[in-house]
Amino acid sequence: MQHRLLLLDALLIILAAAFVTLGAERVPFHGDESTIIWLSKDYALFRDGDFEEMYYEPPPRRTTEQHLRILNGTLTRLIYGAVWDGMGLEADDVNEQWVWGQDYQFNLTEGHVPSDRLLYAERLASAWMTLLGGVFLMGAARVLARHMWMSRWGVTLSGWLALAVYATHPAILLNGRRAMFEGAHLLGIAALGWLVVWMLARNKHLWQHHALLGVLTGIILTIKFSVTFTVALLFGGLVLLILLDRRFYELLKIGLATVLALLVFLVLSPLWWSALLEMPSIVVEERRDLLELQASLYGEFDGPGDRLSTLFDEIVVPEPQYFEVPEWGIVYPAVYDEIDRYETWSGLGDNILARMVRYLLLGGGVAVLIYTERWRMAVLLGSWLVGVLVITLITVPLGWQRYYLPVQVPLVILMGLGSGVIYELVAGRFLASSE
């Protein structure tokens, strides 16, 4: 029986991989893809040891490259650089930064659009990172389900549905297939969530596990600085459980993980080497200014009701947002044909059945948190989900879907668990004790 389930697992992962990968070629183009691929030229500086070229320099010597290095981490750029390096290309073969304010034809003529071959290769890298994130979430749902009840099929279905929901999620697919930061971002959050859940389920707080947690966290922090919120919530959940259990000596291990995370992050962030103490405040200021600029230019929320409505829509009615700025349809009118082709092929989108399924799965997941005897897991997952919802509600000033993707990771886990709960209810074994 176990071998058959493993074969079914493999089949589901292969199907998900095929679906995510095949859509990468068809996903509508976004100008930020050009800019992020352009940033991957930093890979050549890393490869050749030219770290001083990436050191922070205060104004007026600030460049566009430096500004964008401040706003985001290094890992995705290195991955995309490794892709074109593996293709036999050099940095000079990579396109220039997208010029906003000019149309597509200008950008194409002036070399600001990646070649079809390069764009597709980078999209594949992002799509595969996105898919791997789904595999981690499948594993996290399984660990949680196994820890909360003994039914084999409850555990199995929780993992299957988590991966299925993730791999058919319109917003995840759109953003994860593009050559942008989101594929790596989703993978990083999913991997960290899986590791924390796995550590808690084992109930053995070993030094080597916390060392691994620190190294992984440091790597993840170099993807996108907004992942700091997820790190803070998961580390905070572990600290809260340690305090509730009065195992204060375990705080030393959390301290080890924190120190290792910072060290790994700094090793991979040459920008910080020349201004180590100043960089945290510089990054916070630059990102705050960026959000304020975006909100002023493209319309901030009218009030708390508008914020809540957008957050609710992203939870239960996740319609893909193909572009954030209305002018994109003017400077790149081909996007409408690309959207039609993409939607015709994928068949994904909002419908009443999809909404009902999400309501049902979310309801089952909430039931897990309320009724399970495994209160530690409920505290961790509940604090992660509620925390990321509150942080997103407070910090995101406008309805750009990319900023809501961190919410989807704990939601997918919860919906996976919801499927297991539904099975247990049907089978008459709701949350059977595992002791």
Side-chain angles (χ1 to χ4, degrees):
M1 181 66 176
Q2 186 64 31
H3 294 299
R4 292 179 181 177
L5 290 178
L6 289 175
L7 287 174
L8 290 174
D9 285 349
L11 177 61
L12 180 61
I13 292 172
I14 290 171
L15 290 174
F19 184 63
V20 173
T21 300
L22 289 174
E25 185 178 13
R26 295 171 173 84
V27 68
F29 177 70
H30 195 293
D32 283 352
E33 293 184 276
S34 282
T35 297
I36 294 169
I37 293 174
W38 168 68
L39 285 171
S40 70
K41 292 183 179 184
D42 278 358
Y43 170 83
L45 300 178
F46 270 85
R47 181 192 60 195
D48 300 335
D50 295 334
F51 300 115
E52 292 185 5
E53 292 293 323
M54 294 177 281
Y55 286 177
Y56 172 77
E57 292 186 353
R61 291 174 291 173
R62 190 178 85 167
T63 62
T64 301
E65 292 96 326
Q66 177 171 276
H67 175 59
L68 294 175
R69 289 182 189 126
I70 291 171
L71 293 175
N72 293 288
T74 59
L75 184 62
T76 307
R77 301 201 298 271
L78 296 182
I79 293 172
Y80 288 161
V83 170
W84 55 251
D85 187 40
M87 296 169 64
L89 302 178
E90 295 294 336
D92 290 340
D93 300 317
V94 177
N95 58 276
E96 296 300 316
Q97 179 189 14
W98 182 267
V99 180
W100 294 99
Q102 297 289 344
D103 62 13
Y104 178 82
Q105 189 58 47
F106 172 88
N107 280 278
L108 180 63
T109 302
E110 297 299 318
H112 298 272
V113 178
S115 67
D116 291 342
R117 177 169 173 257
L118 176 59
L119 177 62
Y120 182 54
E122 303 293 19
R123 284 180 169 182
L124 284 181
S126 182
W128 291 339
M129 287 188 285
T130 301
L131 171 70
L132 187 54
V135 175
F136 275 112
L137 292 187
M138 177 179 174
R142 289 266 176 90
V143 171
L144 283 162
R146 188 176 296 112
H147 193 66
M148 291 176 175
W149 58 75
M150 288 295 292
S151 168
R152 173 182 291 179
W153 279 107
V155 172
T156 299
L157 290 173
S158 294
W160 285 350
L161 263 293
L163 180 58
V165 169
Y166 179 90
T168 57
H169 193 291
I172 289 174
L173 287 174
L174 171 65
N175 291 280
R177 284 166 169 163
R178 281 172 165 166
M180 293 162 62
F181 292 110
E182 277 58 49
H185 192 196
L186 288 165
L187 170 57
I189 295 175
L192 183 63
W194 169 83
L195 180 57
V196 170
V197 165
W198 178 81
M199 288 172 58
L200 192 58
R202 289 177 62 88
N203 201 29
K204 293 181 179 179
H205 301 269
L206 302 180
W207 286 98
Q208 54 265 40
H209 294 161
H210 286 80
L212 176 60
L213 175 64
V215 172
L216 178 61
T217 301
I219 294 172
I220 291 169
L221 287 171
T222 65
I223 297 173
K224 200 171 185 179
F225 293 137
S226 56
V227 79
T228 305
F229 293 128
T230 297
V231 170
L233 289 170
L234 290 174
F235 272 57
L238 289 176
V239 170
L240 176 60
L241 293 175
I242 288 172
L243 295 177
L244 290 174
D245 290 336
R246 304 181 66 83
R247 296 187 297 188
F248 302 116
Y249 62 92
E250 300 286 354
L251 294 175
L252 294 175
K253 297 173 183 176
I254 298 294
L256 169 68
T258 303
V259 170
L260 284 175
L262 293 175
L263 289 175
V264 171
F265 169 77
L266 291 175
V267 167
L268 294 174
S269 304
L271 174 73
W272 290 52
W273 296 356
S274 59
L276 183 59
L277 298 180
E278 294 88 350
M279 285 310 300
S281 61
I282 292 171
V283 169
V284 171
E285 181 179 351
E286 292 281 354
R287 290 202 63 84
R288 183 184 65 241
D289 290 347
L290 174 65
L291 286 174
E292 290 177 354
L293 177 64
Q294 290 172 339
S296 64
L297 290 176
Y298 307 119
E300 60 185 340
F301 290 126
D302 292 334
D306 198 12
R307 287 176 179 263
L308 284 169
S309 174
T310 301
L311 183 62
F312 177 82
D313 288 344
E314 291 300 326
I315 292 174
V316 298
V317 196
E319 278 290 291
Q321 186 181 51
Y322 294 103
F323 50 90
E324 299 82 7
V325 182
E327 287 77 10
W328 181 248
I330 299 174
V331 301
Y332 185 58
V335 70
Y336 295 109
D337 291 335
E338 293 180 0
I339 291 172
D340 290 340
R341 182 182 65 173
Y342 180 72
E343 292 189 342
T344 300
W345 175 83
S346 67
L348 297 177
D350 179 42
N351 56 70
I352 189 62
L353 179 60
R355 290 193 192 192
M356 295 305 297
V357 169
R358 294 180 72 83
Y359 281 127
L360 189 62
L361 295 179
L362 278 172
V366 171
V368 169
L369 299 182
I370 295 175
Y371 294 107
T372 181
E373 297 178 2
R374 302 294 190 172
W375 65 270
R376 290 176 181 83
M377 282 295 191
V379 167
L380 178 70
L381 186 56
S383 62
W384 179 12
L385 178 60
V386 172
V388 75
L389 288 172
V390 171
I391 289 172
T392 302
L393 186 65
I394 294 173
T395 62
V396 176
L398 72 173
W400 286 20
Q401 190 170 73
R402 279 181 282 172
Y403 295 152
Y404 290 84
L405 287 182
V407 173
Q408 303 301 340
V409 178
L411 279 175
V412 166
I413 295 175
L414 198 65
M415 285 188 280
L417 292 175
S419 68
V421 167
I422 293 169
Y423 171 78
E424 297 295 324
L425 284 170
V426 172
R429 295 190 301 271
F430 178 58
L431 294 181
S433 174
S434 60
E435 297 183 351

